[in-house]
Amino acid sequence: MNTMTEAQLSELEQDLNAIRDEVVADLGERDARYIRRIVRLHRTLEVGGRAMMPFGFIPPVFVAATVALGLSKIIENMEIGHNVMHGQYDWMNDPSLHSQSYEWDTVCTGDSWRRTHNYEHHTYTNIIGKDRDYGYALLRLSNDDEWKPRHSLQFINYILLSVFFQWGVGLHELESERIRRGEIRLRDKLPFLMDFFRKGGRQAFKDYLFFPLITFPVAPIVLAGNVSANLIRNLWSSTVIFCGHFTQDAETFTGAECDGESKGHWYLRQLTGSSNFTGGKWVHLLSGHLSYQVEHHVFPDLPAHRYPEISAQVQAVCQKHGIPYNTGSFARQYGTVLKRIFAFSLPDRVRSKVPALSMGQAT
């Protein structure tokens, strides 16, 4: 981890706080208009996709309907749900866009997400053993985990996790790895499981029973379209999230390194443990602006559409303090994610003999 003195960390904190204060002072109607426009876009795409789906026996219409529904789910999950639940629009005092009451269109309950993501992941970002998002208890992504034969198959686990991503995220709070180790009992998780099955059941009923059945003569087509739209959302959202923390140069940390850390140290960990990818306006929108994962982790409660505007300032702060700013094209960053998954699927003695599988700064 980049080592800085307490005085340097304090200066880093002041520099980043100044960026945050400037944005907070400017929040207002422009931000409210933006998120309401995105909500209208999501609803238009969903209504359009579901209206076209029964006519999906015409191949071009099936493609258009599936893409429209898939995009509506991506926008709702990434740019609306994720960001609203971070409290980015709480200042609007709009109950429909408030972090504590918003319920998004995915299997994971809002309450579970706020516990596992907003608190656990954002507090303990990339601290091995504390941030359970690091590998999702399925993947070995650093030397901190001892290699075991089951890791040889982790690329299959990665593909399955991506295909069924909303279900994986929904079950994340189950902490199955702790149940396997005997640290907690399954019965301890019964309240969580009841909420999971209740929300998951509603989601499955909506997409796989209700909408197909009300279009009975073409139910198989509507079912296929809904399955495809959810698959599009799952693959895209998992890829975006993996590019945020599992790239080659994203650092990991030990608990001892972070004991009693100051706000400046927390900022430093967010900067070095996160990674961005470049792209056009639509790429940023469809990623929920998690293409600016560095800015998001430093300022998780600022409206995400502001991240492109402050990116240059954050980069300047990094340059001033000699902190690497991890960014690159989407293809490059995703390529390093796949490389990390593959590299750590191999026994250490094998990986150490292949220089191309070196993982840079990450421990």
Side-chain angles (χ1 to χ4, degrees):
M1 187 175 184
N2 192 317
T3 54
M4 298 173 66
T5 66
E6 284 303 317
Q8 290 169 325
L9 289 171
S10 179
E11 187 177 355
L12 173 66
E13 178 183 347
Q14 292 173 24
D15 289 342
L16 291 173
N17 283 346
I19 297 173
R20 172 186 163 75
D21 291 345
E22 185 178 344
V23 175
V24 170
D26 189 49
L27 291 179
E29 188 57 30
R30 179 163 73 97
D31 305 277
R33 282 200 307 270
Y34 174 81
I35 192 62
R36 285 171 178 149
R37 188 167 69 247
I38 296 300
V39 170
R40 288 195 297 273
L41 173 62
H42 148 62
R43 290 174 178 168
T44 301
L45 285 168
E46 180 174 15
V47 170
R50 294 201 184 281
M52 286 190 289
M53 200 68 81
F55 303 97
F57 52 84
I58 304 171
V61 176
F62 179 80
V63 172
T66 301
V67 170
L69 188 57
L71 289 175
S72 79
K73 288 176 175 287
I74 287 172
I75 291 172
E76 194 282 333
N77 283 186
M78 306 295 281
E79 183 70 340
I80 302 172
H82 170 265
N83 294 336
V84 164
M85 286 195 288
H86 264 296
Q88 295 181 4
Y89 299 95
D90 281 3
W91 53 270
M92 291 171 59
N93 293 318
D94 181 340
S96 69
L97 294 170
H98 197 276
S99 63
Q100 299 307 303
S101 56
Y102 192 86
E103 192 59 59
W104 56 351
D105 181 23
T106 188
V107 167
C108 182
T109 68
D111 286 339
S112 180
W113 179 260
R114 283 182 279 270
R115 289 190 291 267
T116 59
H117 179 83
N118 289 7
Y119 173 71
E120 189 175 282
H121 171 59
H122 276 268
T123 301
Y124 303 114
T125 306
N126 283 28
I127 299 178
I128 301 300
K130 289 190 173 183
D131 179 7
R132 295 180 55 258
D133 277 20
Y134 202 82
Y136 291 95
L138 288 173
L139 307 176
R140 178 184 185 244
L141 298 173
S142 75
N143 288 323
D144 301 282
D145 290 331
E146 181 185 358
W147 184 87
K148 296 177 180 174
R150 61 182 169 82
H151 293 126
S152 300
L153 303 176
Q154 70 174 5
F155 221 97
I156 297 174
N157 288 341
Y158 164 65
I159 293 171
L160 291 174
L161 176 62
S162 295
V163 169
F164 299 102
F165 195 60
Q166 69 162 336
W167 295 94
V169 171
L171 279 169
H172 194 41
E173 193 178 352
L174 180 61
E175 299 183 279
S176 58
E177 75 282 10
R178 295 187 64 200
I179 293 176
R180 288 197 302 270
R181 293 196 298 261
E183 297 173 5
I184 58 175
R185 299 169 300 178
L186 181 60
R187 72 175 66 174
D188 298 331
K189 291 292 182 177
L190 286 181
F192 157 75
L193 285 171
M194 289 177 65
D195 288 342
F196 167 77
F197 285 121
R198 190 178 299 117
K199 178 75 184 292
R202 283 203 304 268
Q203 291 297 113
F205 174 79
K206 172 171 68 75
D207 279 338
Y208 305 140
L209 283 176
F210 177 74
F211 281 111
L213 287 178
I214 63 173
T215 58
F216 176 68
V218 291
I221 293 173
V222 173
L223 175 62
N226 289 353
V227 169
S228 300
N230 280 325
L231 178 60
I232 291 170
R233 183 271 315 277
N234 289 349
L235 294 176
W236 173 249
S237 56
S238 68
T239 302
V240 167
I241 290 171
F242 271 57
C243 284
H245 296 292
F246 308 151
T247 55
Q248 179 168 343
D249 295 329
E251 295 188 33
T252 58
F253 316 98
T254 66
E257 284 180 298
C258 307
D259 282 345
E261 69 179 0
S262 63
K263 184 63 180 291
H265 191 273
W266 181 86
Y267 273 140
L268 175 62
R269 182 160 53 81
Q270 306 305 319
L271 290 169
T272 55
S274 308
S275 47
N276 291 359
F277 57 83
T278 57
K281 179 179 177 181
W282 276 95
V283 170
H284 299 310
L285 168 61
L286 294 176
S287 73
H289 287 89
L290 293 182
S291 47
Y292 290 93
Q293 189 77 245
V294 172
E295 285 74 13
H296 172 61
H297 263 263
V298 174
F299 308 120
D301 59 347
L302 291 184
H305 76 106
R306 295 277 194 152
Y307 297 153
E309 300 173 11
I310 62 175
S311 174
Q313 294 171 272
V314 173
Q315 289 186 58
V317 169
C318 288
Q319 186 173 18
K320 173 183 174 182
H321 293 278
I323 301 170
Y325 184 87
N326 187 346
T327 189
S329 70
F330 176 80
R332 177 188 176 279
Q333 297 290 61
Y334 185 51
T336 68
V337 169
L338 297 179
K339 177 182 173 182
R340 176 179 288 274
I341 296 171
F342 174 70
F344 285 101
S345 72
L346 301 174
D348 295 338
R349 57 184 170 76
V350 175
R351 180 164 53 86
S352 63
K353 296 177 181 177
V354 185
L357 295 180
S358 169
M359 283 291 106
Q361 304 174 47
T363 58

